[in-house]
Amino acid sequence: MAFTVALAGNPNSGKTTLFNRLTGSTQRIGNWPGVTVDRKEGTIKSKTDITLIDLPGVYSLSPYTMEEVITRDYLVHEEPDAIINIVDASNIERNLYLTTQLLDIGIPVVVALNMMDVVNKRGDVIDIPALSEQLGCPVIEISAIKGFGIQSLVGTAHEAAHFGATPHFVEAVEGDVATAVHHDQVIAHHQYRETHFERTFTAPVEAAIDSIAQVIQGRMPIEHLRWYAIKVFERDERVEKSLHLNEAERAQVESLISAVETEYDDVSSSIVTGESYDFISTVVEQTVTKQQVGMSLSDKIDRVVTSRILGLPIFVAVMFLVYYVSVTTIGALVTDFTNDTFVGAWIQEPVAHWLGSIGVADWLQSLFVDGIIGGVGAVIGFLPQMIILFIFLALLEDCGYMARIAFLMDRIFRRFGMSGKSFIPLLIGTGCGVPGIMATRTIEQDRDRRMTILTTTFMPCGAKLPFIALIAGVAFGGAWWVAPSAYFMGIGSVIVTGIILKKTRLFSGDPAPFVMELPAYHPPILRNTFYSVWERSSAFVKKATTIILLTSIVIWFASSFGFDAGGFGMVDDLNQSIAAHIGNAFAWIFSPLGFGNWKAAISSVLGLAAKEEIVSVMGIFSSIGDGAIDMVDAGQMGALSPIMMLFGASAIPVAAAYAFLAFNLLCVPCFAAVGAMVGEMKSWKWSLFTIGYQCGWAWIVGMIIYNLWIWIALGTFGFWTVAALLCLAVILFLLFRPAPRDRVAKLAARTTAA
Amino acid sequence: MATMADMKVGETATVKRVHGDGALQRRIMDMGITKNVTVTLRKVAPLGDPLEITVRGYELSIRRGDAAVIEVI
């Protein structure tokens, strides 16, 4: 018989470690329907008839976070045969709070009491039989890291799934165990719990819950009745709505709730939470003997690592190390190797040679070598660097420092609608936007993560440096301030975008406050690091490959095909390509930015393949030839000066060149980054919004720069000057207006005070 | 009304009541900050916010603004 067992527990309870240990290489990753949370499942290695579903880490079954809603909907609607509830024994009070809620659901629960090694080392003693007795479910001591107790846990979970409860509890239930069907067993188990175990809440609350149960029963499987009744008592809107109560029933329920609320002078949900914790405190008092000890090692580490004086310097040092290794040194080395040697010399050249030798048509050769291999190569090229970065992220997360980064940086980043953890993606983004975007995976809050993905590529990445250097060289004679101004513009765009969008409805939705556990430090577990790196890398390859491959082929086609004297076909001259025609059609869009000629326009478009291409394409267009990139590297700005002719038609060519710089810096990143972005947003709506916002923002900034520049320098005042001033005014208004939600909150506060 | 936001580093207090609207109150209470529980303010982040407190034997980070809804004595 095949069973489904759900694995539930708090974040940082060792759930991932246990899941990895139980399922190993059998795990599969998918998505929960309609949301962006990963859904992992696998087969238990030693009991292959059990499918284990890894539920998101949650502290409670409240309806306020996506993870909580997924967990409770899964448990109530998809009814797994049993729940393994992993509990961190070294943090038992808060962990048991979720346990009490899971027990109420009525599905057999097996508590896996994890980190018993830590507890034993501390000298604390937990009376397991007594704890099991008090909770009314089996409790198995384990250490997910060291691997003890795992077999016993699997065996007990199997029994629980098979018999609807473990024999110990089933024996006590009247009836024939052997012949009873599973569902009836669950009910029997549930009824047994109802009659034999101490109730969690005080008498008036229990009475109200029982009365509510009378009203709502029959609308759900009987074993879930108590959970539904408690949720109705808490005024849980999602549950209420799903029950379709009529007017009379609603009034009856309401009067039951408000009677208790009046008696306790508190709201019902607060009473339930408070009494659950009171119940747990009693249980813990009776079953756990704590040794009074001094500061733990973790406390000592934390005293230094997040201290007022050393906190920030240590943070800077850690970030420097991450950046230096994964971007500057090893990262750059392996990226160059994969791009130039591995993909270029070892794959592209031999394939081109071979295709040539067997007489494949030129265009097909070009499609394979430049389009497909080049496109896939672009993805593979990022991979080694990304793996290095992912190893760092996994280590930082696993050892507990990532939570401290959020703690240290929260004050700054929350103003921009981001998490303190957004620092890493933005920092990595100055090297390369692709791993920067992938690094947003460490951010739990959807809203914060989206904002970070949206803004990360505003930072000048390595591939944008050539055209920044080019503009600085040919337009400003190598002026020192051009490159720093690009960084300021990037950071400024992140900040302004963050503040503006944070106040819009798009980003102000979820009201969940920032209340974050700071888990104890512990040495990272290699197995977890491995799985985390594997998971993230393969997600990138899978999701990014399709879009990058497709767009590479499109770009390849547009720039190598066109109309020449012989009609439609492959063209050597970029001027005759389809891309040039498209550029021509869209050149007018860039007129307000001062570079409304198709050559500059198409440079920007072809820059989407890779931003350094902008320089090459501009070189080709200004008859410098193919080597423009190398000339930038060599600093031969004099030889590159013909490029300024591309801006020759505008009132002030230098201003147009700077607007061009601003536009290309802030506009949509290269397709590799767009691929990563689409993969991480996991939503076409959000991806399109991001692309649209980035294009719009880049255009507006370029337009403002160019028109104000020529207005101030030449006194040219026209339609676009007004437009620029208007845009600037709107941006300033959006920047400084009070947040709509704050206004509501303040109003509410005033009303309560009055 | 004294709140957690008014506590000094190293100070220990008892929670009297958690105010705030549904989601905020529930989230704070879900994390174990309930009536009569003992909380200690461990430290303030180097930039002045958020706070780090010890409650029920573990460390929790909470913003000053959110801590202001937690009434302590």
Side-chain angles (χ1 to χ4, degrees):
Chain A
M1 217 173 137
F3 298 109
T4 308
V5 172
L7 178 60
N10 283 186
N12 310 305
S13 59
K15 196 162 66 63
T16 308
T17 315
L18 180 62
F19 184 76
N20 288 343
R21 190 173 276 282
L22 287 173
T23 62
S25 58
T26 69
Q27 49 185 271
R28 302 173 289 279
I29 297 161
N31 268 340
W32 293 96
V35 292
T36 61
V37 181
D38 279 340
R39 175 188 166 128
K40 289 200 284 186
E41 60 174 77
T43 309
I44 293 187
K45 284 188 289 187
S46 56
K47 272 267 193 290
T48 48
D49 58 344
I50 300 182
T51 303
L52 190 66
I53 311 280
D54 187 22
L55 296 172
V58 293
Y59 296 107
S60 162
L61 299 180
S62 301
Y64 296 119
T65 71
M66 202 162 46
E67 285 79 4
E68 288 167 344
V69 173
I70 291 170
T71 302
R72 60 191 240 175
D73 282 357
Y74 175 80
L75 293 175
V76 175
H77 298 307
E78 295 188 38
E79 309 205 350
D81 299 299
I83 303 168
I84 294 177
N85 172 214
I86 182 162
V87 164
D88 176 358
S90 66
N91 186 357
I92 196 163
E93 277 194 54
R94 200 206 56 221
N95 274 255
L96 284 180
Y97 176 62
L98 178 67
T99 309
T100 60
Q101 298 186 44
L102 292 173
L103 286 167
D104 287 330
I105 290 183
I107 294 170
V109 173
V110 177
V111 167
L113 203 55
N114 191 28
M115 311 210 195
M116 281 308 292
D117 47 334
V118 179
V119 172
N120 292 336
K121 215 166 136 191
R122 265 201 321 222
D124 296 357
V125 179
I126 300 178
D127 183 348
I128 307 290
L131 183 62
S132 171
E133 185 80 39
Q134 296 253 358
L135 294 173
C137 71
V139 175
I140 313 292
E141 295 174 76
I142 65 159
S143 166
I145 297 177
K146 303 229 165 99
F148 77 70
I150 303 295
Q151 280 322 309
S152 161
L153 172 66
V154 170
T156 312
H158 191 259
E159 280 171 3
H162 192 88
F163 296 111
T166 52
H168 169 65
F169 294 106
V170 174
E171 273 164 26
V173 182
E174 288 175 41
D176 187 359
V177 176
T179 54
V181 289
H182 176 76
H183 185 72
D184 290 343
Q185 284 298 341
V186 175
I187 296 169
H189 169 65
H190 164 75
Q191 283 165 347
Y192 177 72
R193 273 191 52 80
E194 285 282 274
T195 46
H196 288 71
F197 288 94
E198 220 178 296
R199 310 295 286 264
T200 317
F201 307 114
T202 50
V205 178
E206 287 288 354
I209 290 170
D210 285 345
S211 306
I212 291 172
Q214 299 276 323
V215 177
I216 62 170
Q217 68 179 344
R219 292 166 212 239
M220 70 288 294
I222 178 86
E223 66 269 23
H224 298 328
L225 180 58
R226 180 170 165 87
W227 187 79
Y228 273 93
I230 294 172
K231 287 295 155 191
V232 170
F233 179 75
E234 289 175 1
R235 291 207 177 85
D236 186 302
E237 280 173 26
R238 277 172 176 269
V239 165
E240 266 173 22
K241 215 172 272 170
S242 75
L243 289 174
H244 305 292
L245 299 178
N246 65 34
E247 272 311 312
E249 288 166 332
R250 201 170 295 145
Q252 201 182 342
V253 165
E254 186 51 44
S255 74
L256 285 165
I257 302 172
S258 34
V260 178
E261 287 183 327
T262 318
E263 188 180 340
Y264 282 77
D265 180 31
D266 204 349
V267 291
S268 61
S269 70
S270 165
I271 297 170
V272 168
T273 314
E275 292 195 357
S276 297
Y277 267 109
D278 291 345
F279 168 75
I280 294 161
S281 299
T282 321
V283 170
V284 168
E285 241 165 62
Q286 290 170 10
T287 56
V288 183
T289 323
K290 276 190 183 155
Q291 212 53 274
Q292 276 300 333
V293 283
M295 275 170 102
S296 69
L297 179 64
S298 173
D299 291 339
K300 284 178 196 154
I301 295 173
D302 201 52
R303 233 169 84 157
V304 179
V305 165
T306 57
S307 72
R308 272 224 127 141
I309 302 155
L310 288 174
L312 292 177
I314 290 175
F315 170 72
V316 170
V318 172
M319 289 301 103
F320 177 79
L321 180 77
V322 170
Y323 189 85
Y324 188 72
V325 175
S326 63
V327 177
T328 317
T329 51
I330 302 181
L333 226 97
V334 287
T335 304
D336 287 349
F337 171 79
T338 1
N339 278 332
D340 302 342
T341 314
F342 183 73
V343 178
W346 294 0
I347 299 180
Q348 257 172 330
E349 281 174 35
V351 170
H353 187 76
W354 177 70
L355 289 175
S357 71
I358 59 169
V360 172
D362 272 358
W363 69 269
L364 201 58
Q365 231 187 83
S366 172
L367 168 67
F368 269 107
V369 175
D370 301 326
I372 296 176
I373 301 180
V376 176
V379 180
I380 307 294
F382 287 111
L383 203 54
Q385 185 182 22
M386 205 129 36
I387 289 172
I388 294 172
L389 177 70
F390 288 163
I391 292 172
F392 271 115
L393 293 180
L395 293 177
L396 290 176
E397 280 179 307
D398 211 15
C399 78
Y401 190 67
M402 193 62 95
R404 270 74 188 188
I405 293 179
F407 177 70
L408 291 168
M409 290 289 114
D410 175 67
R411 174 114 205 214
I412 299 177
F413 282 91
R414 69 158 180 248
R415 287 165 197 273
F416 317 136
M418 290 186 242
S419 146
K421 294 181 185 176
S422 306
F423 184 86
I424 295 181
L426 291 169
L427 175 74
I428 299 298
T430 61
C432 176
V434 178
I437 289 168
M438 296 304 291
T440 58
R441 289 212 152 195
T442 58
I443 303 168
E444 293 92 3
Q445 286 272 342
D446 248 14
R447 187 177 42 169
D448 299 355
R449 189 174 58 239
R450 285 193 184 119
M451 185 77 90
T452 314
I453 296 172
L454 194 149
T455 51
T456 292
T457 55
F458 282 146
M459 303 303 280
C461 70
K464 289 173 184 168
L465 296 183
F467 78 75
I468 296 172
L470 174 78
I471 300 291
V474 298
F476 299 97
W480 64 269
W481 56 267
V482 179
S485 77
Y487 282 91
F488 279 121
M489 207 149 40
I491 295 168
S493 296
V494 173
I495 292 174
V496 172
T497 299
I499 295 176
I500 288 179
L501 290 185
K502 191 186 145 198
K503 293 175 187 170
T504 63
R505 208 171 300 161
L506 273 175
F507 284 89
S508 64
D510 187 358
F514 175 84
V515 184
M516 181 188 64
E517 179 187 5
L518 294 168
Y521 292 92
H522 63 77
I525 300 144
L526 284 182
R527 188 201 294 253
N528 286 357
T529 312
F530 170 78
Y531 278 113
S532 163
V533 171
W534 170 254
E535 220 175 281
R536 289 171 181 174
S537 308
S538 51
F540 167 72
V541 171
K542 262 185 238 151
K543 284 169 187 155
T545 309
T546 24
I547 182 163
I548 296 172
L549 185 60
L550 257 167
T551 47
S552 301
I553 293 174
V554 170
I555 289 266
W556 163 83
F557 180 76
S559 53
S560 34
F561 280 77
F563 301 91
D564 59 5
F568 185 78
M570 264 188 110
V571 289
D572 288 330
D573 186 356
L574 201 51
N575 284 307
Q576 294 169 330
S577 67
I578 301 175
H581 290 281
I582 297 171
N584 236 338
F586 289 104
W588 57 271
I589 293 176
F590 300 105
S591 298
L593 282 70
F595 55 96
N597 73 72
W598 65 271
K599 287 178 175 172
I602 207 61
S603 309
S604 308
V605 175
L606 292 180
L608 294 178
K611 289 281 169 172
E612 65 266 26
E613 282 294 302
I614 294 172
V615 174
S616 316
V617 176
M618 290 176 97
I620 294 168
F621 280 146
S622 41
S623 330
I624 294 169
D626 286 334
I629 274 246
D630 298 327
M631 291 161 77
V632 171
D633 280 346
Q636 298 161 334
M637 292 302 168
L640 287 165
S641 56
I643 281 178
M644 276 312 283
M645 288 183 346
L646 296 178
F647 306 107
S650 52
I652 303 177
V654 173
Y658 195 77
F660 178 82
L661 185 155
F663 178 80
N664 280 298
L665 172 72
L666 303 175
C667 188
V668 172
C670 67
F671 281 130
V674 172
M677 193 184 84
V678 173
E680 289 310 292
M681 285 286 191
K682 295 179 187 168
S683 139
W684 281 104
K685 192 190 95 188
W686 276 101
S687 304
L688 290 175
F689 172 78
T690 303
I691 292 170
Y693 181 87
Q694 289 170 337
C695 288
W697 176 253
W699 189 87
I700 288 171
V701 170
M703 194 267 284
I704 292 175
I705 290 175
Y706 179 71
N707 290 291
L708 294 191
W709 191 317
I710 58 170
W711 180 41
I712 292 163
L714 301 176
T716 318
F717 194 91
F719 172 77
W720 287 107
T721 327
V722 179
L725 289 170
L726 264 177
C727 284
L728 196 61
V730 169
I731 290 171
L732 290 175
F733 166 73
L734 292 175
L735 201 54
F736 293 111
R737 73 175 171 144
R741 209 154 57 84
D742 286 0
R743 268 206 312 266
V744 175
K746 268 180 201 145
L747 214 75
R750 213 173 303 148
T751 332
T752 343
Chain B
M1 174 180 103
T3 73
M4 187 184 280
D6 308 319
M7 287 169 66
K8 290 183 182 61
V9 174
E11 192 184 334
T12 298
T14 304
V15 172
K16 199 173 156 209
R17 192 176 190 141
V18 180
H19 300 264
D21 68 359
L24 177 63
Q25 184 198 42
R26 185 62 193 258
R27 178 94 175 124
I28 289 172
M29 294 188 71
D30 277 347
M31 298 305 282
I33 305 177
T34 57
K35 198 172 163 183
N36 294 332
V37 80
T38 309
V39 291
T40 306
L41 182 65
R42 287 279 299 268
K43 70 167 69 118
V44 176
L47 297 171
D49 199 19
L51 315 173
E52 180 180 335
I53 62 158
T54 301
V55 59
R56 296 187 189 270
Y58 80 101
E59 267 66 59
L60 187 70
S61 156
I62 184 167
R63 285 178 185 157
R64 233 175 243 284
D66 296 334
V69 304
I70 302 166
E71 189 178 345
V72 295
I73 37 173

